[in-house]
């Protein structure tokens, strides 16, 4: 479980997150939506401390990760993150990308790591690409490898930072399918997305953000049919 | 032109190649190691160490290499009462000097690697050190390879300054032959060709290396 309490973040003088408080249950799938610049990505990046919160606390399964004494490297092993621009390691093959962290960080033997990587690649439909370099893959394939690379660390939590925003329209579906498949596995997922169809269908809860505030939280059916805040109404009017 | 006169010195002159190359090789090795270290000092966050590294570069870039070489060779016996050999002085001066330049090249290369690479590695729980050594540096090297080859070519040619402190490199040997036979054009031209061939060989080597490293970029 992720408990976020009074989270604020400043970049210099500018405040980008204002007193965000929420809880994300184990196995829950949360879609964070809102206009660009609303602080969605920063909010997500605070959860694995790629951004250091200016104030407030984040507890993951009872452990305060914002505490200076916490070994953040250790915490991150349990939190996968998928980026908009994939960030595969370009000098390594797909297989090497996948086995690097398990071998380096979890000290898994090469044999075990390769076996697991191949299973994961099969799951995302890219078994035949194991020996390819990232530059030889399409955007959708890259993102599926990036997801598989995270899964190789067997995380309890997965963070998705606009995973389909940099993709050609035709490739969005293949990535969303993989994510949909994941949502039934008990992994906690926090997804920053502009894919309303996905949010509606897959998420257990919608978090709507604007201007650095978490304005509304509701199950998708309720949020999309009868949003409570004026801002959410406006937002939905414009996009749906 | 009379190359017959220096014909008997061919072997003597060519022996300088080994000397020149060994100075270049060792200096490149030490200079590179120190350069990477300095680059790390420059990108880490602790200000005094950062300042130290930038100061270092500033001094070694801001003064002539010949002066640095002379200081190390001629002033060490006076200051430390240690009789430093030309070989030691040469390696130390060239290593320290090239480290200053290499550190800037590497720093630029590291900064040019997409920030997302570090974020991806960190989010996988990879420790900082491993991330630097296995994710960031290999990409930084690839980007800076042409600049690093340039630096080693400069170093190779700069070793001709060694003749000033009496090391028997190519340059010095040409001068010796010239002094013996009272002809200068031929021995100097001869080693000029040798230098050129060495530089070309280095360039060829780097082209091969670069092509190998670019394998991952193929589409």
């Amino acid at each position: 479980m992720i408990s976020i309490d009074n989270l604020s973040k400043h970049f210099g003088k500018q405040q980008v997150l204002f007193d965000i408080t929420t809880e994300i249950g184990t196995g829950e799938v949360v879609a964070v939506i809102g206009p660009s610049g609303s602080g969605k990505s920063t909010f997500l990046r605070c959860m694995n401390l790629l951004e250091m919160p200016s104030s407030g606390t984040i507890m993951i399964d009872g452990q305060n990760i914002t505490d200076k004494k916490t070994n953040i490297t250790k915490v991150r092993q349990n939190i996968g993150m998928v980026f908009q621009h994939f960030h595969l390691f370009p000098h390594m093959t797909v297989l090497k990308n996948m086995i690097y962290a398990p071998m380096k960080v979890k000290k898994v033997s090469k044999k075990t790591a390769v076996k697991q990587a191949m299973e994961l690649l099969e799951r995302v439909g890219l078994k035949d690409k194991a020996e390819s370099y990232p530059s030889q893959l399409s955007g959708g394939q890259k993102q599926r490898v990036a997801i598989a690379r995270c899964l190789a660390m067997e995380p309890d939590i997965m963070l998705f930072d606009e995973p389909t925003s940099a993709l050609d329209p035709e490739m969005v579906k293949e990535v969303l399918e993989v994510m949909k498949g994941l949502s039934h596995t008990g992994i906690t997922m926090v997804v920053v997305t502009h894919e309303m169809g996905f949010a509606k269908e897959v998420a257990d809860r919608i978090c709507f953000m604007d201007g650095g505030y978490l304005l509304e939280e509701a199950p998708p059916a309720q949020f999309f049919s009868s949003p409570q805040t004026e801002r959410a109404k406006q937002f939905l009017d414009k996009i749906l | 032109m009379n190359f017959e006169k220096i014909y008997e010195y061919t072997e003597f002159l060519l022996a300088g190649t080994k000397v020149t190359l060994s100075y270049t090789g060792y200096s490149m090795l030490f200079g590179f190691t120190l350069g990477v270290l300095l680059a790390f000092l420059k990108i880490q966050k602790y200000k005094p160490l950062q300042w130290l590294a930038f100061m270092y570069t500033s001094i070694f870039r801001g003064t002539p290499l010949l002066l640095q070489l002379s200081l190390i060779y001629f002033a060490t016996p006076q200051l430390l009462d240690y009789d430093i050999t030309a070989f030691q002085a040469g390696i130390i001066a060239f290593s320290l000097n090239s480290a200053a330049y290499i550190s800037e090249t590497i720093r630029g290369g590291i900064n040019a690697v997409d920030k997302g690479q570090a974020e991806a590695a960190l989010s996988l729980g990879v420790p900082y050190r491993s991330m630097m050594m296995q994710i960031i540096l290999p990409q930084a090297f690839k980007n800076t390879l042409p600049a690093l080859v340039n630096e080693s070519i400069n170093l190779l040619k700069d070793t001709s300054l060694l003749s000033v402190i009496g090391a028997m490199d190519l340059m010095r040997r040409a001068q010796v032959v010239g002094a013996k036979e009272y002809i200068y054009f031929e021995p100097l031209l001869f080693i000029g060709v040798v230098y050129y061939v060495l530089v070309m060989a280095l360039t060829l080597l780097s082209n091969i290396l670069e092509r190998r490293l670019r394998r991952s970029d193929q589409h």
Side-chain angles (χ1 to χ4, degrees):
Chain A
M1 184 162 82
I2 312 173
S3 315
I4 295 151
D5 190 31
N6 266 306
L7 175 70
S8 290
K9 172 71 185 172
H10 293 76
F11 285 120
K13 284 202 174 119
Q14 198 192 1
Q15 187 164 3
V16 290
L17 292 179
F18 294 86
D19 302 321
I20 293 183
T21 301
T22 189
E23 262 184 13
I24 297 166
T26 303
E28 196 179 4
V29 179
V30 173
V32 183
I33 65 172
S36 296
S38 57
K40 310 182 294 288
S41 285
T42 307
F43 174 50
L44 192 75
R45 289 159 60 84
C46 281
M47 289 184 212
N48 65 353
L49 297 197
L50 282 184
E51 302 294 351
M52 208 52 190
S54 305
S55 63
T57 54
I58 300 173
M59 310 274 283
I60 293 180
D61 293 331
Q63 186 183 22
N64 184 356
I65 66 164
T66 41
D67 186 344
K68 283 208 161 44
K69 274 174 274 175
T70 304
N71 179 352
I72 189 60
T73 306
K74 195 103 196 149
V75 174
R76 281 176 180 147
Q77 292 171 22
N78 196 28
I79 309 175
M81 185 163 208
V82 175
F83 301 87
Q84 185 177 355
H85 295 286
F86 331 123
H87 300 323
L88 296 178
F89 306 133
H91 58 304
M92 296 180 180
T93 62
V94 166
L95 185 65
K96 194 90 199 298
N97 260 282
M98 302 215 18
I99 62 175
Y100 174 72
M103 285 174 64
K104 187 92 230 165
V105 179
K106 292 174 100 182
K107 313 287 177 206
V108 174
S109 75
K110 181 161 185 188
K111 208 177 140 208
T112 315
V114 168
K115 187 167 167 274
Q116 189 203 21
M118 292 312 285
E119 281 167 13
L120 284 167
L121 280 177
E122 184 156 30
R123 198 159 128 198
V124 298
L126 290 170
K127 206 177 172 190
D128 55 326
K129 297 289 183 190
E131 295 305 322
S132 302
Y133 281 96
S135 60
Q136 297 166 311
L137 304 180
S138 71
Q141 291 171 331
K142 281 183 202 170
Q143 197 60 297
R144 283 186 279 156
V145 171
I147 293 171
R149 179 174 71 175
C150 288
L151 292 175
M153 289 295 286
E154 299 175 319
D156 293 329
I157 301 166
M158 287 274 279
L159 309 175
F160 294 82
D161 191 1
E162 300 197 24
T164 57
S165 297
L167 297 178
D168 285 348
E170 311 174 67
M171 295 173 178
V172 170
K173 199 172 165 212
E174 64 189 55
V175 172
L176 291 181
E177 285 300 322
V178 170
M179 289 168 62
K180 209 191 287 179
L182 267 184
S183 67
H184 306 302
T185 58
I187 291 185
T188 308
M189 289 168 68
V190 185
V191 187
V192 170
T193 186
H194 292 296
E195 294 293 331
M196 294 307 143
F198 175 81
K200 207 183 252 177
E201 187 187 349
V202 179
D204 300 314
R205 176 163 42 125
I206 306 288
C207 286
F208 176 72
M209 289 182 70
D210 186 40
Y213 291 93
L214 179 54
L215 288 182
E216 194 166 341
E217 293 179 83
Q222 187 190 328
F223 178 81
F224 285 105
S225 60
S226 53
Q228 301 299 303
T229 56
E230 202 49 46
R231 186 66 188 91
K233 266 179 213 150
Q234 281 173 8
F235 179 75
L236 289 177
D237 277 347
K238 276 188 190 142
I239 58 162
L240 292 180
Chain B
M1 250 196 273
N2 188 355
F3 279 99
E4 266 163 38
K5 260 182 137 172
I6 67 157
Y7 183 72
E8 57 172 311
Y9 294 106
T10 311
E11 213 170 301
F12 172 75
L13 285 171
L14 280 177
T17 311
K18 219 180 119 190
V19 180
T20 292
L21 280 180
S22 86
Y23 276 98
T24 310
Y26 281 115
S27 306
M28 199 62 207
L29 187 73
F30 294 133
F32 182 74
T33 313
L34 185 59
V36 171
L37 265 165
L38 284 167
F40 276 133
L41 290 187
K42 286 173 183 176
I43 58 169
Q44 54 86 40
K45 301 245 154 58
Y46 185 58
K47 288 275 181 224
L49 283 177
Q50 217 182 67
W51 184 83
L52 205 72
F54 279 110
M55 217 39 219
Y56 177 97
T57 301
S58 169
I59 288 169
F60 277 91
R61 276 206 307 203
T63 56
L65 175 54
L66 185 54
L67 172 71
Q68 294 160 17
L69 183 65
S70 305
L71 266 176
I72 291 171
Y73 184 65
F74 296 115
T76 303
Q78 181 196 333
L79 292 177
L80 302 176
D81 205 20
Y82 173 74
D83 194 12
I84 195 166
T85 65
F87 185 74
Q88 291 166 337
I91 301 283
I92 292 173
F94 292 134
S95 301
L96 294 180
N97 184 272
S98 68
Y101 288 91
I102 289 174
S103 70
E104 278 300 282
T105 306
I106 303 269
R107 182 176 73 96
I110 291 174
N111 285 340
V113 174
D114 183 0
K115 236 182 99 218
Q117 291 291 310
E119 290 184 349
L122 291 176
S123 74
L124 286 167
V126 176
Y128 181 83
R129 217 184 111 92
S130 308
M131 173 193 88
M132 269 298 168
M133 298 307 282
Q134 282 141 10
I135 307 295
I136 306 297
L137 276 184
Q139 297 182 56
F141 285 146
K142 194 169 121 180
N143 296 338
T144 55
L145 192 67
L148 289 173
V149 170
N150 229 352
E151 178 55 27
S152 61
I153 287 173
N154 278 334
L155 191 61
L156 179 91
K157 292 184 296 183
D158 284 347
T159 54
S160 59
L161 293 172
L162 281 166
S163 54
V164 172
I165 60 168
M168 288 300 274
D169 72 323
L170 280 168
M171 187 69 192
R172 175 81 180 152
R173 283 167 195 255
Q175 287 169 345
V176 168
V177 173
K180 267 191 186 158
E181 299 291 332
Y182 303 109
I183 54 165
Y184 289 94
F185 181 65
E186 291 83 352
L188 287 176
L189 185 68
F190 182 86
I191 62 155
V193 171
V194 176
Y195 275 119
Y196 185 74
V197 168
L198 292 179
V199 169
M200 283 302 111
L202 213 55
T203 310
L204 195 73
L205 209 69
S206 86
N207 285 347
I208 294 170
L209 192 62
E210 208 170 326
R211 215 169 310 141
R212 266 191 55 127
L213 287 174
R214 295 243 172 269
R215 253 196 332 207
S216 57
D217 289 346
Q218 66 204 201
H219 288 274

